[in-house]
Amino acid sequence: TLAAENDTINAVRQRGELVCGVSTGASVGMSTLDDKGNWAGLEVEFCRAVAIAVTGSPERVKYIPLEFKNAFAALSSGSVDLLARSATWTYTRDAEMKFEWPVVYMYDGQGFLVRKSLGVKSAKDLNGASICVSGGTTTELNLADYFRTRNLKFTPIVANSREQNIANLEAGRCDAYSNERGGLAANRAALPKPDDYVVLPDVISKEPLGPVVRQDDPRFRDVVAWTFYSLLLAEEFGITKANVADEAANSKNPEVQRLLGKTGEFGSKLGLANDWVVKVIAATGNYGELYEKIGRASCR
């Protein structure tokens, strides 16, 4: 296939859609799937933005929900063009597995979700606890490192998905669930009784999260990177979903004119339409608008 021959952009255009790997549909604020089949969240919106850049349409994207254990294999095999589900940028995944993080769209850190009734105030209070964690992840490694270096003991309760971990926590099979704190906050918000649980203040790791591509296609990597940078620049310039058309037509700022394709022919340098950023912002909003959706979803 063209994608296997390092030509992801043309493969997407010939196929007619971007195939985007996202979380399993229950990650509040990141990727959720409602009972009508509608996807929403930061990961989903970023996939739409890349689809617009490459195809010109926000509808030409197919979302593939992936458990973490299958995510990298799907990207490596070409089953997905882009992995936009939460995945930490690590040395091994970069240098050995040959994946590329074009950008980091948020920094998170690993923490713990516990029942309030346990009376736990800090991760140090979890000595001897049973802790739910997803197998084969950096989360599992960080957890072991944290307890070992502090001469604390714990029993890992290993599962294959966030959903299984949350089910185990609710059923009392573990005392705590460890994952990125953003994900834990989203999981807590989705619980039937969120006030019965608390995310501890401890942060035991640094987790740079962002979209992932294969290293064998630098052109597609650049499109993914500049899609993000364009969302960020739009926020810095005050360009929003509501005013982007007016800014494109009337802004006197030379940087805005270049960003929105009025001057400079910068889209063509990536093989894209010169007004591709206008189309992206008109459909998704700027980065701040995307990020606000996480907060709104997590507070429901």
Side-chain angles (χ1 to χ4, degrees):
T1 65
L2 284 170
E5 296 170 358
N6 314 335
D7 197 352
T8 306
I9 292 172
N10 281 335
V12 169
R13 288 172 177 166
Q14 288 192 15
R15 188 192 307 129
E17 62 184 5
L18 176 77
V19 181
C20 206
V22 294
S23 302
T24 54
S27 183
V28 177
M30 300 302 288
S31 65
T32 53
L33 181 63
D34 66 20
D35 56 7
K36 296 180 181 178
N38 299 311
W39 286 90
L42 177 64
E43 297 168 352
V44 171
E45 292 298 323
F46 189 77
C47 289
R48 291 180 72 220
V50 175
I52 295 164
V54 176
T55 72
S57 170
E59 306 304 323
R60 293 184 178 179
V61 56
K62 179 179 182 181
Y63 303 105
I64 304 296
L66 295 169
E67 298 285 2
F68 185 85
K69 62 179 181 178
N70 302 322
F72 290 113
L75 180 60
S76 182
S77 69
S79 298
V80 298
D81 303 307
L82 170 68
L83 188 62
R85 58 151 295 140
S86 297
T88 301
W89 185 3
T90 70
Y91 182 92
T92 299
R93 291 169 185 168
D94 189 330
E96 182 179 340
M97 298 174 69
K98 306 301 182 185
F99 295 120
E100 177 106 7
W101 275 253
V103 295
V104 173
Y105 50 46
M106 73 170 65
Y107 283 92
D108 206 340
Q110 186 172 332
F112 300 88
L113 178 65
V114 301
R115 254 185 235 89
K116 283 184 180 178
S117 60
L118 242 62
V120 172
K121 302 298 182 184
S122 165
K124 294 178 182 179
D125 298 333
L126 292 172
N127 188 26
S130 56
I131 301 179
C132 287
V133 65
S134 293
T137 62
T138 55
T139 310
E140 186 179 27
L141 177 62
N142 293 336
L143 183 63
D145 287 348
Y146 178 84
F147 276 78
R148 185 185 303 113
T149 57
R150 288 161 178 78
N151 294 316
L152 303 175
K153 295 182 179 180
F154 79 104
T155 301
I157 307 297
V158 180
N160 290 322
S161 69
R162 291 187 181 194
E163 291 79 8
Q164 288 180 351
N165 281 307
I166 287 295
N168 287 339
L169 180 65
E170 285 190 280
R173 300 186 188 100
C174 56
D175 300 309
Y177 169 35
S178 187
N179 205 339
E180 287 91 354
R181 296 178 84 247
L184 294 178
N187 291 140
R188 176 183 173 275
L191 287 168
K193 296 182 178 180
D195 290 341
D196 289 352
Y197 297 83
V198 63
V199 178
L200 297 180
D202 308 76
V203 181
I204 70 170
S205 73
K206 182 188 292 181
E207 305 292 326
L209 306 176
V212 193
V213 298
R214 295 178 294 275
Q215 286 184 359
D216 59 8
D217 195 340
R219 183 168 171 246
F220 184 59
R221 178 258 175 218
D222 285 348
V223 168
V224 173
W226 283 102
T227 297
F228 174 79
Y229 295 141
S230 296
L231 294 169
L232 206 61
L233 286 166
E235 181 181 3
E236 291 179 1
F237 285 123
I239 303 167
T240 67
K241 188 174 183 177
N243 71 14
V244 65
D246 181 67
E247 289 288 327
N250 301 309
S251 176
K252 304 302 182 185
N253 185 323
E255 290 184 86
V256 171
Q257 290 179 351
R258 289 191 289 269
L259 176 66
L260 301 183
K262 192 171 184 178
T263 62
E265 300 290 323
F266 284 99
S268 62
K269 299 180 192 303
L270 283 175
L272 308 178
N274 284 321
D275 66 345
W276 69 276
V277 175
V278 177
K279 294 177 181 176
V280 168
I281 304 303
T284 69
N286 62 40
Y287 183 70
E289 290 176 289
L290 264 64
Y291 204 87
E292 285 172 5
K293 293 179 182 179
I294 300 176
R296 289 198 299 269
S298 299
C299 292
R300 286 174 185 167

